[in-house]
Amino acid sequence: MSDYLINIFIPIILTFLFTFIVGFERQNIGKAAGISAHVIVSVAACGIAILQRELFASEIAAGKLNADGQRVIAQVIAGIGFLGAGIILKTGKEVKGLTTASTIWFCAMLGLILGMKKYDIGITMGVFIVIFLYFRDIFRGVNPFKNNHVKRVDDNDR
């Protein structure tokens, strides 16, 4: 039970908590990618990192290390690039969605880092980015703790 707690539960809970806070900020300032997108991406990335870590440990235990099995994380990074590209919109000289694409990418990387049990790096990054996003909003005059989302016409249809 303690192996499960240390190897799986703690990385997923830490990933969930930090990325929930990031997604909450994005959602409250009216961005399309909110809590759900950030948490799902990050916990999935965390799961992939845990899987890769466990595969590596089992290969070491069996005495047969296969480098091909250690390429899983690279695929997550490439896949998140496609997701981020879909969030960024360019119309004329205006570009929208860069910060949200960046936070999605950050959440995936945080999931990978915490999934690999690199808690010192992950917690430091998580605290830094959360503080940065919330203070940035406050300095811009936006309350990230209050829903600032402008109600769209189609919101009633959901």
Side-chain angles (χ1 to χ4, degrees):
M1 182 62 171
S2 68
D3 283 348
Y4 172 80
L5 180 68
I6 292 169
N7 292 327
I8 298 171
F9 191 73
I10 290 175
I12 289 174
I13 288 298
L14 287 172
T15 300
F16 176 86
L17 292 174
F18 278 115
T19 59
F20 181 93
I21 295 168
V22 171
F24 180 79
E25 182 272 340
R26 297 277 82 200
Q27 185 169 301
N28 275 351
I29 65 168
K31 301 301 177 181
I35 294 170
S36 296
H38 285 80
V39 167
I40 290 168
V41 163
S42 65
V43 171
C46 183
I48 292 297
I50 292 168
L51 172 67
Q52 183 159 330
R53 182 172 35 83
E54 295 296 320
L55 287 173
F56 184 74
S58 66
E59 287 175 357
I60 294 289
K64 54 178 183 174
L65 185 58
N66 180 1
D68 289 339
Q70 297 305 309
R71 298 181 185 182
V72 179
I73 286 179
Q75 302 310 314
V76 171
I77 295 169
I80 293 303
F82 283 105
L83 184 62
I87 293 170
I88 300 169
L89 299 172
K90 184 178 185 289
T91 54
K93 292 184 179 184
E94 186 178 38
V95 178
K96 292 183 177 184
L98 283 175
T99 302
T100 301
S102 299
T103 58
I104 289 283
W105 191 84
F106 163 76
C107 287
M109 297 313 108
L110 184 65
L112 292 174
I113 290 164
L114 291 171
M116 295 300 288
K117 291 176 36 178
K118 300 297 182 185
Y119 299 131
D120 53 346
I121 298 169
I123 290 171
T124 302
M125 285 176 51
V127 167
F128 181 80
I129 294 299
V130 165
I131 289 171
F132 168 75
L133 285 172
Y134 281 81
F135 275 105
R136 184 204 60 166
D137 290 343
I138 291 166
F139 287 129
R140 287 181 168 179
V142 177
N143 182 352
F145 302 102
K146 177 181 157 248
N147 189 344
N148 296 286
H149 179 68
V150 177
K151 189 170 177 80
R152 296 185 312 229
V153 174
D154 64 345
D155 280 350
N156 292 328
D157 297 336
R158 294 184 185 163

